Amino acid sequence: MAIRPSLLIIENNMATIDDFNKLDIRVGKIMEVQDFPEARKPSYKLTVDFGPEIGIKHSSAQLVKHYSREQLIGKLVIGVVNFPPRQIGPFIPDFCHPSNFS
């Protein structure tokens, strides 16, 4: 039985507890929500306050079909605040929240 290359990649790309311990996961409050018409899929741009130690950070989220902009204001979200920025279209978020994982 041959091993498919895609299975090999998944097995060899497992995160370790050391990888997990490197993540800085914080809770922040959504302060502002803007439409993100340039995104391929309907999305919002989020402005999130992670408190005095981390400050204000930005991300995008494909939440349009689940929430209005007004419903998101004041919601608490978790975010990984120590990932490097990754460009999404013309926008460069500076934190990652779980809905950004694929």
Side-chain angles (χ1 to χ4, degrees):
M1 177 174 174
I3 297 175
R4 294 191 335 230
S6 60
L7 291 178
L8 260 177
I9 291 170
I10 291 170
E11 281 183 32
N12 293 332
N13 200 23
M14 294 295 292
T16 67
I17 193 66
D18 290 331
D19 295 329
F20 180 78
N21 287 334
K22 293 176 189 175
L23 300 178
D24 188 355
I25 302 171
R26 304 288 179 120
V27 174
K29 184 185 240 181
I30 298 175
M31 306 303 288
E32 184 180 358
V33 180
Q34 299 175 337
D35 289 328
F36 187 11
E38 304 89 356
R40 282 184 286 177
K41 296 181 180 179
S43 301
Y44 293 128
K45 290 181 186 178
L46 306 177
T47 300
V48 178
D49 185 352
F50 285 99
E53 188 178 338
I54 301 296
I56 302 293
K57 293 211 169 254
H58 303 88
S59 191
S60 64
Q62 296 174 6
L63 298 172
V64 173
K65 65 182 176 183
H66 302 289
Y67 297 96
S68 69
R69 288 190 318 263
E70 295 78 17
Q71 289 175 307
L72 290 170
I73 300 294
K75 294 266 188 215
L76 297 178
V77 295
I78 61 170
V80 179
V81 297
N82 64 335
F83 274 159
R86 180 176 146 197
Q87 188 155 356
I88 299 176
F91 181 62
I92 302 176
D94 50 10
F95 83 93
C96 182
H97 53 91
S99 69
N100 278 355
F101 294 111
S102 55

